[in-house]
Amino acid sequence: MRVNRKYSCLPAEEKGIHIINIRAIEDIGYDQHESTLLNSLSKNPDADCKYGLYFRDGKRKVDYILVYHYKKSSAGKTLGRRAQQNDSSVRSSKQDQPLPGKGVQLEMGESEPHMDYHEDDKRFRREEYEGNLVEAGLELERDEDTKIHGIGFVKIHAPWNVLCREAEFLKLKMPTKKMYQINQTHGLLKKINSVIQKITEPIQPKVAEHKPQTVKRLSYPFSREKQHLFDLSDKDSFFDSKTRSTIVYEILKRTTCTKAKYSMGITSLLANGVYSAAYPLHDGDYEGENVEPNDRKLLCEEWASYGVFYKYQPIDLVRKYFGEKIGLYFAWLGVYTQMLIPASIVGIIVFLYGCATVDENIPSMEMCDQRNNITMCPLCDKTCSYWKMSSACATARASHLFDNPATVFFSVFMALWAATFMEHWKRKQMRLNYRWDLTGFEEEEDHPRAEYEAKVLEKSLRKEHKHKETDKEKLTWKDRFPAYLTNFVGIIFMVGLTFAIVFGVIIYRISTAAALAISSTPSGRSSVRVTVTATAVIINLVVIIILDEVYGCIARWLTQIEVPKTDKNFEERLIFKAFLLKFVNAYTPIFYVAFFKGRFVGRPGDYVYIFHSFRMEECAPGGCLMELCIQLSIIMLGKQLIQNNLFEIGIPKMKKFIRYLKLKRRRSLDHEEHMKKKQRYEVDYNLEPFAGLTPEYMEMIIQFGFVTLFVASFPLAPLFALLNNIIEIRLDAKKFVTELRRPVAVRAKDIGIWYNILRGIGKLAVIINAFVISFTSDFIPRLVYLYMYSENGTMHGFVNHTLSSFNVSDFQAGTAPNDPLDLGYEVQICRYKDYREPPWSENKYDISKDFWAVLAARLAFVIVFQNLVMFMSEFVDWIIPDIPKDISQQIHKEKVLMVEVFMREEQGKLQMLETWKDKDKKKGENCNNHSPRLSRSHSGSLSSCHSYPLDV
């Protein structure tokens, strides 16, 4: 038999509670004495309480769970159970309620050895805290006879009066009895909407909350004085499970435990190990036979399944189960994924355009034409020999797939796409705020974090020791200065570490290229560039994935030593640090290839060297854009496949497997425990705790950067992001529904700081794409040649125009090729990619006028492109209103209807007062119509007539 201890109230003499308050608590409407006896006689008490979803009486719903560890000797286990059973039977016969903690002390004294000081201290704190929870109106029930040895559970239930009180404190908007018609479209728009609904019906989830509504209940902040406005016909379902757990969590946060010399809420108790976990329960099982219908099961079928990847998300049901903050995340992820569809289509068209025109591209045809017989200068000193430009034919043709005129159009399109996406999300957010009754919601200051309270206590104790006044302490910038200094130095060090690793990969590329050039096989020498690029990118990917995890832990540690006051401050600071470090980590290798590789090479005979031995690497004859595309695609796809998906699937599965092995070992030790079915709170305890939405947002924001920042070099990035997100939505949904404990619902009206980060990335993308098109690709040099130097108005001769000549007799000593006759003939003039004067000029090898003409055109393009696209983005932002017109009309309609409701209520009150006055006048006239003798002899009666209105 499962042993439980139930609390209702503390004795008046111990806690100073007035007897009227105790009577009020008892008048809630249940009797615990008889239910305890009946439960003990029932055949399957676990089924009566739906396996942990209700108290043992089967009537009161479990709204929250507190978990704690306790030490219990195996020798005294049987004796303890007998003592508990005898004790509970005595209580039932006497019809006496056990006190919080007293029953625990008795049983421990009978069946357990003396525990250490820390365990006693934790137990005393729990007793006081739970007693304070009872004083706050909550009802508790303890369960230590569970399948998990050494773990105790405290079930919490919030009765109706507590729910009403807290809903009024929290200003929760609840639906009233008043219903109104939602404005519907008319005419052509109505027909279009009906057609769209019929077409999209197969991809709509089969959820009641997702169906279009024609009427809506008027919502108003709950008030106990105005309960007649609300529909209280079914009090059990008026506050849903999400709202009930939110209310209980607010009480847990503000209820204090003063035995530690300072105020401690649930966050402090969890941090100090007094409780090991605190969480609301899931609604029930999501799989298995004879499972009762519940929201969790419905979410699993219609949302957290890969088989419904093509359907819309049931966002309203997600919000109903997990709260507004998580609902907004999945709504944002859904909008982002939908917006990737047009971007992917345009990207595919741009890529196909490059494939269709590759055979018509004159520069690549010239590079592939072996008749041109262009001899290029060596790529490294001594070991590398001269080489034919036609050997780079494949790279040149592949570069055209991404470096063509359509790329410029796609960059402009993606900048406008980012602005449209932000505006579309703002409008969607306003619709959700209206639908979820969040209009006018303002976030209030949260309770201080446990670490902040501990730091303040430490500071106050130091001042007490120095005999100073300690009225109201708080942490100042002086207290946080060491943490700020550590943050600054730590972030600079981490950024420097990232740069150092990228620099190390550069050294690897240069040395590997030189080593492969010595290869005796012609195939090895011909594939040097591809081999070096591929291996270097894979090394970068591995380093990025490892450093991502390291930087996430370091960012959390740096934020913790700052000791932010509230959870919101902590989250914002953590997001800023983690984003900064992960942004630098993910994009530094790509920035190097895009803007630095091949810029500081020098020229033959005067190369730039690293450590006086490694020559800086050059871009391919077709430019660095192809290498940038390879770098971007491998890092993006690798992060998505390995970090986002395999880690998210593999690590939870591995943790689940480890927990299964531990439970299997325990079950083998206790076969009797194994035969019992687990309670709901035991099952949920074995799930992973919810760690926040920061990792989920972070991976999507980094992906958004890959899609927008360097999209000019990789038009297929939106397509790969779309395919990843289709899986990501269902993967995250499955994780929330099946693998995580149910998080506490948090009200929120927007996605917070993430919106500002998205806007910043969108602005930065315009600038970066402008520089990629003008400096990394050959788009501008081609335009300059076409309009300034071409003799016949075509691109014929462009390759020769971009190459400069070098006399091999001008090589520095010890840098000329060891085998100058490798091509079969003696080379006197070799070519290299740059705009410089020829060796027969007076100012040989100086920068030519063509270089300055191209540079001026590049800078002009950057300025024009940036300002034009920024203007177009701002125009899109201005032309699309943030609040949809129909939503603003509905919000105004709600305000008008609410005023009407209150005006009618006031009129009703006035009519009632007038009725009372009329009755009072009639009674006064009746009193005046009495005989004078009666009125003089019974003056008391007359006065009572006149005093009647005052009594009323």
Side-chain angles (χ1 to χ4, degrees):
M1 187 181 72
R2 196 175 295 270
V3 180
N4 300 278
R5 305 179 186 92
K6 303 177 185 180
Y7 312 144
S8 62
C9 63
L10 293 176
E13 63 270 18
E14 182 174 333
K15 289 291 181 179
I17 305 174
H18 198 269
I19 192 66
I20 295 177
N21 295 333
I22 295 175
R23 186 61 192 164
I25 294 171
E26 291 174 351
D27 285 342
I28 292 171
Y30 64 89
D31 188 4
Q32 297 182 351
H33 318 296
E34 296 176 2
S35 63
T36 304
L37 185 60
L38 289 173
N39 286 335
S40 64
L41 297 174
S42 61
K43 293 182 180 178
N44 190 358
D46 291 344
D48 295 339
C49 66
K50 295 188 178 179
Y51 294 98
L53 288 173
Y54 287 82
F55 275 23
R56 301 300 294 175
D57 57 11
K59 298 177 181 177
R60 289 171 290 163
K61 186 177 177 63
V62 176
D63 298 319
Y64 218 87
I65 290 292
L66 299 179
V67 187
Y68 60 92
H69 290 271
Y70 68 93
K71 291 185 177 179
K72 194 170 184 180
S73 63
S74 58
K77 190 173 181 182
T78 309
L79 180 61
R81 284 185 183 175
R82 288 174 183 172
Q84 290 167 3
Q85 291 172 4
N86 295 334
D87 189 34
S88 61
S89 63
V90 170
R91 293 187 196 121
S92 300
S93 62
K94 292 184 178 180
Q95 295 189 354
D96 184 23
Q97 295 294 329
L99 304 179
K102 285 199 171 183
V104 181
Q105 292 172 9
L106 176 62
E107 289 156 14
M108 285 187 176
E110 290 178 358
S111 64
E112 295 186 11
H114 186 265
M115 297 167 64
D116 58 11
Y117 169 76
H118 294 291
E119 290 299 322
D120 285 342
D121 181 58
K122 289 179 182 179
R123 180 164 53 84
F124 291 147
R125 291 191 198 181
R126 285 198 296 268
E127 289 168 9
E128 185 198 0
Y129 183 70
E130 290 165 14
N132 292 340
L133 290 179
V134 172
E135 283 188 357
L138 298 178
E139 298 168 12
L140 313 181
E141 184 177 79
R142 189 188 298 271
D143 186 1
E144 288 185 355
D145 185 19
T146 62
K147 293 184 72 175
I148 308 174
H149 185 67
I151 300 292
F153 296 89
V154 177
K155 296 176 275 188
I156 302 176
H157 168 77
W160 172 255
N161 60 334
V162 173
L163 293 172
C164 294
R165 180 190 72 205
E166 297 298 323
E168 186 172 353
F169 291 165
L170 296 173
K171 300 176 182 176
L172 296 179
K173 276 192 170 182
M174 304 302 293
T176 62
K177 296 176 183 177
K178 176 69 176 177
M179 301 182 72
Y180 67 95
Q181 195 81 16
I182 297 176
N183 292 339
Q184 300 293 324
T185 54
H186 299 285
L188 181 63
L189 285 176
K190 186 176 181 180
K191 292 181 180 179
I192 293 172
N193 287 339
S194 63
V195 171
I196 292 173
Q197 285 179 7
K198 288 180 181 178
I199 293 173
T200 60
E201 187 175 358
I203 60 175
Q204 300 290 347
K206 298 176 182 177
V207 175
E209 286 80 359
H210 197 78
K211 294 179 180 178
Q213 297 178 344
T214 55
V215 294
K216 185 178 184 292
R217 286 189 180 274
L218 195 62
S219 296
Y220 185 73
F222 189 82
S223 173
R224 286 174 290 182
E225 294 180 356
K226 294 182 170 58
Q227 285 194 30
H228 56 278
L229 294 177
F230 302 94
D231 184 12
L232 303 179
S233 56
D234 185 6
K235 290 185 178 182
D236 292 335
S237 62
F238 183 74
F239 295 106
D240 57 13
S241 60
K242 163 185 69 73
T243 308
R244 296 175 71 98
S245 63
T246 303
I247 288 173
V248 172
Y249 183 63
E250 286 296 321
I251 298 174
L252 292 175
K253 281 199 295 185
R254 72 162 186 262
T255 302
T256 58
C257 173
T258 56
K259 281 193 176 177
K261 296 185 180 178
Y262 72 107
S263 174
M264 294 180 67
I266 187 61
T267 52
S268 302
L269 294 171
L270 287 169
N272 292 326
V274 178
Y275 290 102
S276 58
Y279 52 88
L281 292 179
H282 279 292
D283 279 359
D285 292 324
Y286 60 90
E287 60 183 358
E289 298 179 359
N290 302 323
V291 176
E292 292 186 7
N294 58 72
D295 288 342
R296 189 188 186 194
K297 186 175 185 294
L298 189 59
L299 282 171
C300 189
E301 293 171 351
E302 294 294 329
W303 182 52
S305 172
Y306 296 111
V308 293
F309 72 93
Y310 59 92
K311 289 188 177 183
Y312 285 101
Q313 297 183 86
I315 293 297
D316 290 326
L317 184 59
V318 174
R319 173 253 177 179
K320 178 186 174 185
Y321 194 77
F322 291 110
E324 287 79 6
K325 192 170 184 177
I326 294 175
L328 281 172
Y329 163 70
F330 281 103
W332 173 83
L333 185 56
V335 170
Y336 171 47
T337 305
Q338 288 176 13
M339 289 294 292
L340 282 172
I341 296 174
S344 302
I345 293 171
V346 176
I348 292 171
I349 293 172
V350 169
F351 178 73
L352 293 177
Y353 170 81
C355 294
T357 58
V358 68
D359 292 329
E360 302 171 5
N361 184 38
I362 295 173
S364 62
M365 290 170 63
E366 287 184 350
M367 289 181 65
C368 294
D369 191 356
Q370 296 184 0
R371 294 173 296 178
N372 289 334
N373 197 27
I374 299 176
T375 304
M376 303 296 293
C377 294
L379 294 174
C380 62
D381 295 340
K382 293 185 181 181
T383 55
C384 298
S385 185
Y386 305 105
W387 56 284
K388 293 282 189 181
M389 176 173 271
S390 58
S391 64
C393 174
T395 307
R397 288 173 63 85
S399 295
H400 179 73
L401 300 178
F402 306 100
D403 187 5
N404 55 66
T407 305
V408 181
F409 158 75
F410 190 58
S411 299
V412 177
F413 171 81
M414 286 305 293
L416 298 179
W417 173 87
T420 307
F421 163 60
M422 301 305 294
E423 291 304 307
H424 179 46
W425 167 244
K426 280 197 288 188
R427 291 169 64 85
K428 177 70 173 179
Q429 195 169 252
M430 282 305 303
R431 288 190 181 277
L432 293 177
N433 285 344
Y434 162 72
R435 212 158 68 203
W436 296 348
D437 298 321
L438 292 172
T439 52
F441 167 71
E442 295 294 335
E443 292 185 12
E444 298 179 356
E445 187 176 357
D446 202 358
H447 298 275
R449 297 174 62 247
E451 293 81 358
Y452 180 84
E453 289 183 338
K455 204 77 175 176
V456 169
L457 172 68
E458 185 182 336
K459 183 179 178 181
S460 62
L461 290 177
R462 282 200 306 266
K463 288 198 172 183
E464 279 182 11
H465 185 66
K466 295 179 181 179
H467 304 289
K468 293 183 179 180
E469 294 182 0
T470 58
D471 293 336
K472 190 176 181 182
E473 290 297 336
K474 63 179 182 179
L475 297 184
T476 61
W477 69 270
K478 291 181 180 178
D479 300 319
R480 289 193 173 106
F481 180 74
Y484 290 153
L485 184 62
T486 307
N487 270 260
F488 178 76
V489 174
I491 290 174
I492 294 297
F493 175 76
M494 291 301 132
V495 173
L497 177 64
T498 304
F499 289 162
I501 291 172
V502 172
F503 183 73
V505 174
I506 295 170
I507 300 295
Y508 162 79
R509 293 161 67 111
I510 296 169
S511 58
T512 307
L516 290 175
I518 309 174
S519 174
S520 57
T521 59
S523 60
R525 290 197 296 270
S526 63
S527 61
V528 167
R529 194 180 296 276
V530 176
T531 305
V532 169
T533 301
T535 54
V537 172
I538 291 171
I539 292 172
N540 273 327
L541 174 63
V542 173
V543 170
I544 285 171
I545 290 173
I546 293 172
L547 286 184
D548 253 5
E549 303 301 320
V550 174
Y551 286 169
C553 299
I554 291 175
R556 180 169 291 276
W557 176 74
L558 290 174
T559 310
Q560 285 173 347
I561 64 174
E562 279 187 49
V563 197
K565 185 176 181 180
T566 63
D567 286 329
K568 185 180 179 182
N569 292 340
F570 181 88
E571 187 179 22
E572 288 180 351
R573 296 185 186 192
L574 173 62
I575 288 168
F576 174 75
K577 293 181 186 66
F579 174 73
L580 178 63
L581 292 175
K582 293 190 176 187
F583 182 88
V584 172
N585 181 41
Y587 295 113
T588 300
I590 300 172
F591 269 94
Y592 164 72
V593 174
F595 302 122
F596 296 99
K597 184 179 179 182
R599 309 291 170 196
F600 311 102
V601 177
R603 62 170 179 81
D606 188 22
Y607 282 114
V608 177
Y609 290 90
I610 303 173
F611 304 135
H612 303 287
S613 56
F614 296 107
R615 204 175 93 187
M616 289 292 290
E617 54 183 344
E618 304 175 42
C619 287
C624 276
L625 198 70
M626 185 61 201
E627 190 172 339
L628 177 62
C629 172
I630 295 171
Q631 185 104 2
L632 183 68
S633 59
I634 292 179
I635 291 177
M636 178 182 176
L637 295 176
K639 272 181 67 67
Q640 289 183 349
L641 289 175
I642 299 172
Q643 191 174 23
N644 297 354
N645 291 333
L646 289 182
F647 280 14
E648 286 192 21
I649 296 172
I651 291 177
K653 293 288 184 187
M654 187 172 64
K655 289 181 178 178
K656 195 173 182 180
F657 181 68
I658 292 171
R659 286 197 301 268
Y660 169 75
L661 292 178
K662 288 181 179 178
L663 289 173
K664 193 176 180 182
R665 191 180 305 164
R666 286 175 182 168
R667 287 170 182 173
S668 63
L669 294 174
D670 194 342
H671 181 71
E672 181 187 349
E673 296 286 326
H674 171 63
M675 296 306 293
K676 292 187 296 185
K677 183 177 178 179
K678 276 190 176 182
Q679 302 290 302
R680 176 80 264 151
Y681 42 85
E682 296 177 71
V683 176
D684 288 1
Y685 178 72
N686 290 323
L687 300 176
E688 284 292 309
F690 175 63
L693 289 170
T694 300
E696 314 299 336
Y697 273 114
M698 188 67 70
E699 65 182 70
M700 288 296 107
I701 297 296
I702 296 295
Q703 185 204 80
F704 182 78
F706 282 121
V707 169
T708 55
L709 291 180
F710 296 95
V711 74
S713 64
F714 189 40
L716 296 179
L719 174 64
F720 289 114
L722 173 64
L723 297 176
N724 175 78
N725 288 6
I726 291 173
I727 301 171
E728 182 72 22
I729 289 175
R730 306 303 164 179
L731 184 65
D732 285 349
K734 198 170 188 65
K735 182 171 68 175
F736 273 82
V737 173
T738 65
E739 296 176 0
L740 295 180
R741 291 176 193 161
R742 188 175 183 177
V744 179
V746 178
R747 286 188 297 169
K749 62 188 300 184
D750 52 40
I751 60 175
I753 193 174
W754 297 110
Y755 181 81
N756 298 327
I757 292 175
L758 286 169
R759 283 188 67 88
I761 291 176
K763 303 291 184 188
L764 184 63
V766 177
I767 301 170
I768 289 178
N769 281 305
F771 277 95
V772 167
I773 293 169
S774 61
F775 285 92
T776 310
S777 74
D778 283 339
F779 178 72
I780 299 302
R782 287 172 187 166
L783 287 181
V784 171
Y785 176 79
L786 186 65
Y787 292 107
M788 290 183 63
Y789 300 104
S790 178
E791 297 177 356
N792 53 6
T794 65
M795 291 302 295
H796 288 287
F798 169 73
V799 174
N800 187 58
H801 176 75
T802 59
L803 298 176
S804 299
S805 301
F806 178 75
N807 193 332
V808 297
S809 62
D810 294 331
F811 271 121
Q812 289 180 351
T815 61
N818 294 332
D819 186 10
L821 300 176
D822 184 56
L823 293 178
Y825 58 88
E826 186 179 356
V827 178
Q828 294 181 348
I829 299 292
C830 67
R831 311 295 297 274
Y832 61 99
K833 189 171 183 179
D834 205 348
Y835 291 100
R836 289 182 181 270
E837 297 290 343
W840 51 82
S841 173
E842 295 180 2
N843 303 317
K844 65 177 184 178
Y845 306 134
D846 285 352
I847 294 173
S848 64
K849 294 180 181 178
D850 299 342
F851 172 83
W852 298 110
V854 172
L855 180 62
R858 282 172 163 166
L859 293 175
F861 176 82
V862 168
I863 294 170
V864 172
F865 181 89
Q866 177 183 333
N867 286 281
L868 178 63
V869 174
M870 287 283 191
F871 170 77
M872 294 171 71
S873 299
E874 292 297 326
F875 180 74
V876 169
D877 191 357
W878 172 76
I879 202 172
I880 300 176
D882 293 346
I883 305 175
K885 187 177 179 181
D886 59 326
I887 296 299
S888 60
Q889 290 175 351
Q890 298 290 357
I891 293 172
H892 177 71
K893 185 177 181 179
E894 276 197 351
K895 291 179 180 177
V896 172
L897 288 173
M898 189 55 67
V899 170
E900 288 181 2
V901 168
F902 284 116
M903 288 297 293
R904 288 176 185 171
E905 189 178 0
E906 289 296 322
Q907 289 174 0
K909 287 181 181 178
L910 289 173
Q911 290 177 0
M912 192 177 294
L913 286 173
E914 288 176 1
T915 305
W916 286 348
K917 286 180 181 178
D918 292 341
K919 289 181 179 179
D920 178 48
K921 285 181 181 179
K922 289 179 180 179
K923 289 192 176 182
E925 289 174 0
N926 290 335
C927 290
N928 291 331
N929 289 334
H930 287 314
S931 62
R933 181 178 60 83
L934 185 62
S935 99
R936 281 194 300 269
S937 61
H938 299 281
S939 57
S941 300
L942 186 61
S943 63
S944 66
C945 288
H946 290 292
S947 66
Y948 176 74
L950 291 174
D951 295 337
V952 173

